[in-house]
Amino acid sequence: MENEGRRILIVGGVAGGASAAARARRLCEHCTIVVFDRGPFVSFANCGLPYYVGNVIENERDLLVATPELFRQRFDIDVRVEHEVLAIDREAKRIHVRNLRDGKDFDEAYDALILSPGAKALRPPLEGIDLPGIFVLRTIPDSRKIRAWIDETRAKRAVIIGGGFIGLEMAENLVHRGLQVHIVEMAPQLLPPVDPEMAVYVQEELEGKGVALHLGESVRAFTGEAGASLAVHTKTGTVLPADLVILAMGVRPETRLAKEAGLELGPRGGIRVDAQMRSSDPHIWAVGDAVEVSFVGSDDAALVPLAGPANRQGRIAADAIFGRSSNFRGVQGTAVCGVFDLTVAASGMNEKTLRRAGMTNFETIYLHPGHHAGYYPGAKPIHMKLLFSVPEGRILGVQAVGAAGVERRVDVLSMAMQKEATVFDLEEAELCYAPQFGAAKDPVNLAGMIAANVLRGDMPLAQWEDLPTHQGLLLDVREEKEFAAGHLEGAIHLPLSELRQRLDELDSKREIWVYCGVGQRGYYATRLLNQRGFRARNLSGGITTARTYGGNRS
Ligand code: FAD
């Protein structure tokens, strides 16, 4: 029988490993599949762990997507938990394994080996890092320990080190458990995958919910006597008392096995693989957080530790082992995070990364459409930022924040990016619409239309970051009441409804930067002015975007 007796061994039985195992069985009924995991569980929902700590998920068993018994019964897959793979003998095609329950070692032969060992949480060698009460969150046992610590010590104050997705999810969940939460983040903003002016919405949400932010601060040391409360010391001298500290400082690919076996690593320290997830050894595949892959649309190597890519890569590795021609397209870093009443999502490159890479042939637009039709009750703004190449209009990245409808728009744009669509395609995208779900011009269409207007030369843009050095006229075209409630410093006021009649009040020799609330009336005014002999630009995103930057209001 085809593949009879062929042995597929898998290291790591969670996102990538479990997907690979199940796919391998679907492709081959006659081979032997064995999964080793050093932890007590396989196929658990790491992504649910913050919500288990927060007691939103109350029952630990709900985190188990599949058990070893289910793997055995449903798929005839031999899952060995609490078995650590210690070494790979590539010459003999064998792995060396330790049963952590009885300490006994043994070897297993493979025809194909898949590595999905994940990543480990960063724990820098800071003074006091091993004190009781300081935790990382990667596994169910980690979350159990944090829950027990909160209950046993009746913890009231938590300090989270790191303001990425996991840090923010933990902040929300610890507030939910009644703790006073501080976040210490080394960067001047939260959420490194988004740009600073987009992170501001999230920062405001957290502060509004009572979370204290310490941005631009890094930790120097932790102190505390046994049993007494801890203190977090930052490099600027801030001392934060804490009953609980969560280290959410990022992860590093788990590459020990691969490195010791002489597999090639890439420039970012992950296992190097080809599009079929094959490592530098033709009999070994690697997937998930441990590998580096290319970023869609570029040749740059990237480490993107997310569950979606790990699952897809596991499937592709199994396909490749059984001779199918699936290829991994690369990552885009498509991610979403709930932060109290807000959702923040992003896909593709952000502006910081583009600038760091020296790219200049791109443009940025901001928009703030409602998540559904304005006439239907309850529309909430989605703050969006779209980056696209000039002059082609290829979509390079999107970021969005809002109370509802955010992930749907980012998902659509993410797919568009994967298919190398342009902003002109977004103008034409046909999307769902009924008043409670969207608008006849969906935010995705609007983003395309705005970007296409820029590329066609219909709407010259001005950007918030250039406001401080702007020498021309700043024109606010909103209504009297809006202007009176707050406007950009130095702005003159001519509402759009009166603009045609009062053009003689404007100096036609100076460039005019027009703005309104979100950019729409500014666009109308810019069109009007430019067709009547003025040189006008529309401030992208209007005062709403400028405000996030602390845009000078008076
Ligand atoms: P993992 O799922 O980490 O599995 C690796 C397994 O390998 C581990 O069980 C480990 O014990 C085992 N292992 C390692 N070395 C050995 C060895 N030598 N021998 C035997 N076993 C070994 N991603 C999202 O996309 N969305 C989210 O909302 C999200 N939330 C997250 C929240 C938390 C708290 C965490 C920790 C992660 C979250 N992630 C999220 C990331 C996502 O979980 C990972 O990207 C994904 O699990 C990676 O899959 P993997 O198979 O590479 O590694």
PDB file of all heavy atoms in Angstrom, residues 56 237 387:
ATOM      1  N   VAL A  56     -13.222  35.191  31.797  1.00  0.00           N
ATOM      2  CA  VAL A  56     -14.255  35.291  30.764  1.00  0.00           C
ATOM      3  C   VAL A  56     -14.513  33.874  30.247  1.00  0.00           C
ATOM      4  O   VAL A  56     -15.650  33.461  30.059  1.00  0.00           O
ATOM      5  CB  VAL A  56     -13.772  36.206  29.607  1.00  0.00           C
ATOM      6  CG1 VAL A  56     -14.791  36.268  28.495  1.00  0.00           C
ATOM      7  CG2 VAL A  56     -13.465  37.602  30.146  1.00  0.00           C
ATOM      8  N   GLY A 237      13.481  56.049  36.764  1.00  0.00           N
ATOM      9  CA  GLY A 237      13.337  56.210  38.211  1.00  0.00           C
ATOM     10  C   GLY A 237      11.926  56.009  38.741  1.00  0.00           C
ATOM     11  O   GLY A 237      11.684  56.104  39.941  1.00  0.00           O
ATOM     12  N   LEU A 387      -2.214  52.661   3.334  1.00  0.00           N
ATOM     13  CA  LEU A 387      -0.942  52.999   2.685  1.00  0.00           C
ATOM     14  C   LEU A 387      -0.928  52.331   1.312  1.00  0.00           C
ATOM     15  O   LEU A 387      -1.275  51.155   1.198  1.00  0.00           O
ATOM     16  CB  LEU A 387       0.228  52.470   3.525  1.00  0.00           C
ATOM     17  CG  LEU A 387       0.305  53.078   4.924  1.00  0.00           C
ATOM     18  CD1 LEU A 387       0.783  52.054   5.937  1.00  0.00           C
ATOM     19  CD2 LEU A 387       1.218  54.287   4.933  1.00  0.00           C
TER      20      LEU A 387
END
